[in-house]
Amino acid sequence: MDNKKRTTRGKFLSLLLRHQPGTIGLQLDGEGWASVPELLEKVAGRDAGFDRTALEEIVATNAKNRFEFDRLTDRIRARQGHSVEVDLGLEALAPPTLLFHGTADRFLPSIMAEGLRSGARQHVHLSAEESTAWEVGRRHGRPVVLLVAAGDLAAAGQAFFRASNGVWLTGPVPAAFLREQSSGPKTPA
Ligand code: HQG
């Protein structure tokens, strides 16, 4: 499979397993799992080469480790990023003192007025690495990185979770716990 195909199929898998399983009539269970045979059967109607070998390659090579199989490889789910309501079974965990959130500069006035909202997704997404936040911000426009006082917010009673691919998840973040990172990205775009 070439890189382009892998990316297209990976994005389609994200759409199915996070947002719109109904696109191909797929069902997710309460924990976000889809049956692999059912997924493959339904996907084959649109993309004949999307077989089990292709699926395994996508899961194994995905840069952000977005997907996981269960132990028997008969079910698959996204590790985070859902807009459909699922219970990933994550335990609340004490976060580091500071986490990062990448966004676009045009969203700043609204974010600084009302805090970070999860929008369509189930959670607000944060990263432990500043460089990841710059990358996420770049997807939306001119990137801005916010420092999130996660330790203080947790001390104030808010739960934090770490998805199995390392992405931090939490509820709405009030603006009082946010500060704009003044320096630009350390790594080239
Ligand atoms: C912004 C990617 C206005 C927020 C990444 C973001 C992540 C507000 C956008 C994961 C706001 C939502 C999630 C407010 C938040 N006013 N704008 N009050 N509060 N926003 O895509 O965090 O590649 O739903 O800053 O790595 O960008 O898909 O969330 O810009 O982990 O695997 O509203 O997606 O992972 O955008 O990204 P998104 P996100 P994947």
Side-chain angles (χ1 to χ4, degrees):
M1 190 174 8
D2 62 28
N3 279 339
K4 204 170 146 214
K5 193 106 201 165
R6 207 184 283 135
T7 304
T8 314
R9 286 174 173 165
K11 286 192 171 171
F12 188 47
L13 207 52
S14 285
L15 176 83
L16 296 175
L17 298 179
R18 288 170 165 178
H19 309 300
Q20 290 174 29
T23 306
I24 57 164
L26 188 69
Q27 303 272 349
L28 306 186
D29 74 9
E31 297 175 340
W33 295 107
S35 144
V36 170
E38 185 190 344
L39 170 79
L40 292 175
E41 188 196 315
K42 291 182 167 165
V43 154
R46 303 189 160 218
D47 177 355
F50 198 154
D51 57 11
R52 180 175 273 271
T53 309
L55 185 67
E56 284 176 3
E57 183 179 329
I58 291 161
V59 173
T61 58
N62 189 264
K64 289 189 180 173
N65 199 10
R66 291 180 179 88
F67 313 108
E68 65 181 330
F69 286 117
D70 68 356
R71 236 170 354 113
L72 300 172
T73 359
D74 59 358
R75 297 186 304 166
I76 185 170
R77 72 177 176 181
R79 294 177 186 269
Q80 39 71 226
H82 301 80
S83 56
V84 294
E85 204 179 318
V86 296
D87 178 0
L88 296 170
L90 299 172
E91 302 270 343
L93 190 66
T97 309
L98 281 180
L99 286 169
F100 300 92
H101 178 83
T103 188
D105 63 354
R106 69 181 185 284
F107 297 145
L108 267 190
S110 162
I111 292 174
M112 287 314 191
E114 58 183 42
L116 280 176
R117 304 266 170 250
S118 62
R121 302 194 198 245
Q122 276 195 293
H123 296 100
V124 168
H125 287 226
L126 305 170
S127 64
E129 298 288 330
E130 183 181 338
S131 58
T132 306
W134 286 109
E135 278 166 37
V136 173
R138 250 178 238 126
R139 291 190 328 173
H140 294 288
R142 205 133 52 95
V144 171
V145 165
L146 298 170
L147 295 172
V148 179
D152 290 346
L153 189 51
Q158 182 150 322
F160 283 76
F161 306 90
R162 192 175 55 200
S164 53
N165 61 357
V167 173
W168 282 89
L169 307 170
T170 191
V173 178
F177 295 85
L178 300 171
R179 184 155 52 84
E180 189 182 341
Q181 172 69 307
S182 48
S183 60
K186 293 191 188 85
T187 48

